[in-house]
Amino acid sequence: MKYFFLFLLGCLTFTGWCREVISLNHSWRFTPGYETAKGVYAEITLPHMWNQDALAGKADYYRGLGNYERELVIPEAWKGKKLYLYFKGVNTVANLFVNGKHVKEHRGGYTAFAADITPYVKFGEKNVIWVRVNNAPQLDVMPLLGDFNMYGGIYRDVELVVAEPLHFSLFDFGSRGIYVSQENVSREKADLRVKALWEGELNAPAVLRFSLKDAEGKEIAGKEQTLFSERHSVELSVEVEKPHLWNGRSDPYLYHISVELVTGGEVTDRIEDRVGFRYFRVDPDKGFFLNGEHLPLKGVCRHQDRAEIGNALLPLHHREDMEIMAEMGVNAVRLAHYPQDKMMYDLCDEYGFVVWAEIPFVGPGGYRDKGFVDQPSFKENGKDQLRELILQNYNHPSICFWGLFNELKQAGDDPVDYIMELNRLAHQLDSGRLTTSASNQGGRINELTDVVAWNMYYGWYGGEPSGIGGWADEVHKRYPRRAIGISEYGAGASVLHQQEDLVKTVAGSYWHPENWQTYFHEEHWKAIDSRPFLWGTFVWNMFDFGAAHRKEGEMNGKNDKGLVTFDRKVKKDAFYFYKANWNRDDPFVYIAGRRLTKRSEALQTIKVYSNQPLVELSLNGRSLGKKKGEYGTFVWNGVELHKGVNEIVARTKAGGEDKILLEW
């Protein structure tokens, strides 16, 4: 048997011990739940999901049981230690068995959970780990439905945590047991309150030791607090003078913290993390403010899947998504419609994105099913998933909003009272952030969270793109004391679907021309940019994503409203429109309509996107002059092509040039 050890956290002291965190991503055997024959399995490596059928557009993709098994040798030397399995994401319900004995069930596919396997293992022997996973829909587990694929599998990392008897708790809804609250933050000072949960017996005096270091490794503050055996939590506070603020994309400054348990002069456990100091508010008339300065949130939504691999993403995939968003100039992201991999929140801290994080309380939208069932087991599951979302991601400075629901309806079982319960729970768990929601309804449901936003699709599911402005003005007038935003707006597009004329398509058809999506976003952004009262706006979606039930666009099983294709290979024209308006730091020039290579008429309109003040256009080596742009858009009308192949070149002083070939 091969062993793959990943030491994520280590001790630097010469005395004492710290937990070992060992990757268990390798050497798994997988069988579908319907397989009954012995010895029939596939050898797989995590992360893994089994729904290639969903990616192929099969609307009735397999939703049922899957089995994961592996052997694990537990050395004799680990006797006396505590052993945990830590699962970062299993969709949707997981039941863990060790050596044939049931250890734990976890209900919810998008958050982490830990299981104490110490009583179940045999030291010095091989142990059999069996995880039975079920992604079948269940009426007491969120989400009940959604316009996205609910892939089955152990699709995030699994780790073995080997801890000393005195260690930080893993049992507070899957968190690491360390909560850092920032209070009274200003440019002059900040108060930091640290709460730690611990497990084990105190056989000698013990303390919690805290250290805060700046980005260069210099200690800024440190403190110790005595542990008491009658409590398994401890708190301490420190004051930081003139903190270097986490200031979004312009300066995402992060401090490093170290929290240790020390007994008898020896360190028994250590947790390290990053924190950032910031303060924010939302004004109903002026929008979002970060550290006292107005910051228009130029946001996108992001699903966690991609072509061929579904939601079984590797770290390189998460980072690639962040790089693409950063290139476009994004400064805020709605991580929809569920908690996403911890690495995404880490990267948002690092890149300076303001985050809307949410639970999978997803309503029917335009579909027939319900998103809410008024039964105790469903409601408790939703509360547990909210606890897991908040407590597992408590320390991330990027997160400013906790999302409580998406597109719920009040018909039938009315979710209003339950949403109010969730709102109270969110504030009990975290008083330092705001709650929000994504609505597509009128009525009281829009008055429950601290701020609210709407999913609106003017120009796609009805109306014209410019209608979004009048809608926003009317809602702002109706709710003058409410901070309102747009949680989703978007239009589908295939890079294979090209048309010369600008003609609106039917959303549910197989024809999703790219130029209509581009026009849609041009009109929306003009309206959004002139309405600062919108606290945040989020494009739906940054990337195409899997939705097996959809039968539209270039292929079944895909929602093509992304600004980038499902495989991340092609950035659609609308991507460059936003880059021209949102990214002022990286000079560029881009000719739109480049995939329509054959034109039917000699006279053409050439559109160029750039974040530079002047663009020059040339046709077959002849300059057609320089132009100033509006909203990053430069247009030349009446460009006369020659018979055959024509070379179009756009140039800027600082952004280089872009070249395409058009045939007439």
Side-chain angles (χ1 to χ4, degrees), residues 37-95:
K38 291 184 178 181
V40 177
Y41 56 82
E43 294 185 358
I44 60 100
T45 298
L46 304 180
H48 173 265
M49 70 91 198
W50 63 65
N51 285 119
Q52 291 294 334
D53 51 350
L55 290 169
K58 192 173 184 292
D60 58 342
Y61 62 94
Y62 178 67
R63 297 192 66 180
L65 290 170
N67 297 290
Y68 293 83
E69 288 190 54
R70 66 159 291 162
E71 293 178 343
L72 182 63
V73 174
I74 304 296
E76 287 275 2
W78 286 350
K79 279 188 175 180
K81 297 180 184 290
K82 295 289 288 186
L83 308 179
Y84 299 92
L85 291 183
Y86 191 73
F87 295 82
K88 296 186 178 180
V90 183
N91 208 15
T92 302
V93 175
N95 276 276

Side-chain angles (χ1 to χ4, degrees), residues 362-413:
V362 182
Y367 304 101
R368 72 181 186 184
D369 294 323
K370 285 282 295 176
F372 172 62
V373 177
D374 191 7
Q375 64 177 350
S377 58
F378 174 84
K379 292 191 287 188
E380 192 56 40
N381 178 259
K383 291 178 182 178
D384 282 348
Q385 292 203 47
L386 180 60
R387 293 179 181 107
E388 290 175 330
L389 169 68
I390 293 176
L391 296 177
Q392 290 177 25
N393 298 291
Y394 192 89
N395 298 338
H396 292 286
S398 58
I399 299 176
C400 294
F401 304 95
W402 299 123
L404 300 188
F405 71 84
N406 178 80
E407 293 191 356
L408 292 177
K409 295 181 179 179
Q410 292 184 251
D413 285 341

